[in-house]
Amino acid sequence: MARDLEAPRRVHRTDWMALLSGILFVVLGILLVTGALTEWLVLIPVVVVGLAFAGFVAIIARVFRGKEH
């Protein structure tokens, strides 16, 4: 009698807001450290637009998968 020793895998939904926001801040950090982004006045609109895009994608993803919470 063989037992199944592997625990069942739990699948969770992707948190698109967190994922895209994290990617945004990592990319901006790399650009700042390497010196590719030198204009500080460009940084604020890029952050605002990037977070707005991440929020928009998160809303669209929630609509497509249903309102589960």
Side-chain angles (χ1 to χ4, degrees), residues 10-26:
R10 295 182 182 166
V11 178
H12 60 86
R13 299 195 185 272
T14 303
D15 184 357
W16 289 102
M17 182 72 181
L19 178 66
L20 294 174
S21 298
I23 291 171
L24 172 70
F25 285 111
V26 167

Side-chain angles (χ1 to χ4, degrees), residues 13-15 58 61-63 65-69:
R13 299 195 185 272
T14 303
D15 184 357
R62 175 170 273 185
V63 167
R65 70 175 170 218
K67 297 178 183 180
E68 293 180 13
H69 184 4

Side-chain angles (χ1 to χ4, degrees):
M1 227 159 116
R3 281 200 250 170
D4 188 21
L5 298 178
E6 192 172 321
R9 294 181 181 233
R10 295 182 182 166
V11 178
H12 60 86
R13 299 195 185 272
T14 303
D15 184 357
W16 289 102
M17 182 72 181
L19 178 66
L20 294 174
S21 298
I23 291 171
L24 172 70
F25 285 111
V26 167
V27 169
L28 287 177
I30 291 170
L31 291 175
L32 286 172
V33 168
T34 60
L37 183 62
T38 56
E39 291 289 328
W40 288 94
L41 291 177
V42 173
L43 185 63
I44 294 171
V46 168
V47 169
V48 170
V49 169
L51 291 176
F53 175 73
F56 181 71
V57 170
I59 290 169
I60 297 300
R62 175 170 273 185
V63 167
F64 277 118
R65 70 175 170 218
K67 297 178 183 180
E68 293 180 13
H69 184 4

